[in-house]
Amino acid sequence: MVWAARRGHSRPLLVRHRPKADPVGMDEDSHWELLHQCLTDTTIPLDVRAAGAVLLLFGQHLARITALPLNALTEVDGHPVLVLAETPIRLPEPAARLLAELAAAPPPSGWAANSPRRWLFLGNGPGRHVNRPGFGRDLRLWL
């Protein structure tokens, strides 16, 4: 349309800019309530609970959370830690237990018994981390 107007083939077109609404944050009480739900509510799928806990505790993007390698969950000086961007962060007990449970969970059906497990959040195919648009939707649905 700009090209046509500049060459006299049409009238100039004015499109008004619609400002975006300010983002709405979460109040502190809601934040802690959601974290408590992630750590304790066993009716929520384990991977969704674990991703929600990491998101709420450390503010990581979902894409980074789902691509955490299995060895990101380790121990330093006898304390469980999660390594984020090469920085080991000591995990509080409920979160450490939740992530350890996720790490010990069996792989999805269809994986060969000798398939290596490299990711904390397993995808449907052997050797792949969860990488599906529906995972974020699941997180919003449950939490």
Side-chain angles (χ1 to χ4, degrees):
M1 199 64 160
V2 172
W3 177 88
R6 284 186 183 156
R7 286 161 181 75
H9 300 296
S10 71
R11 295 182 305 187
L13 179 65
L14 178 63
V15 178
R16 292 182 184 235
H17 174 72
R18 295 176 88 186
K20 292 183 179 180
D22 288 336
V24 177
M26 182 185 302
D27 64 70
E28 190 173 345
D29 290 338
S30 297
H31 183 98
W32 290 113
E33 186 178 308
L34 277 175
L35 179 58
H36 182 265
Q37 185 179 5
C38 287
L39 297 173
T40 60
D41 188 348
T42 58
T43 63
I44 300 173
L46 179 61
D47 59 346
V48 173
R49 291 175 54 208
V54 173
L55 175 80
L56 292 164
L57 280 170
F58 306 117
Q60 295 295 298
H61 292 280
L62 188 57
R64 288 185 178 187
I65 293 170
T66 57
L68 283 169
L70 187 60
N71 65 0
L73 186 61
T74 187
E75 280 193 12
V76 172
D77 297 329
H79 300 286
V81 297
L82 183 64
V83 179
L84 299 172
E86 300 181 22
T87 304
I89 300 171
R90 190 171 171 179
L91 290 169
E93 182 46 44
R97 189 172 43 252
L98 179 65
L99 291 174
E101 186 180 342
L102 179 67
S109 62
W111 278 36
N114 62 350
S115 295
R117 180 178 178 146
R118 298 188 312 228
W119 306 104
L120 191 55
F121 294 88
L122 297 175
N124 290 332
R128 294 183 169 181
H129 62 80
V130 67
N131 186 17
R132 59 182 171 87
F135 191 71
R137 188 174 48 248
D138 291 347
L139 195 59
R140 286 188 301 275
L141 173 72
W142 285 99
L143 303 180

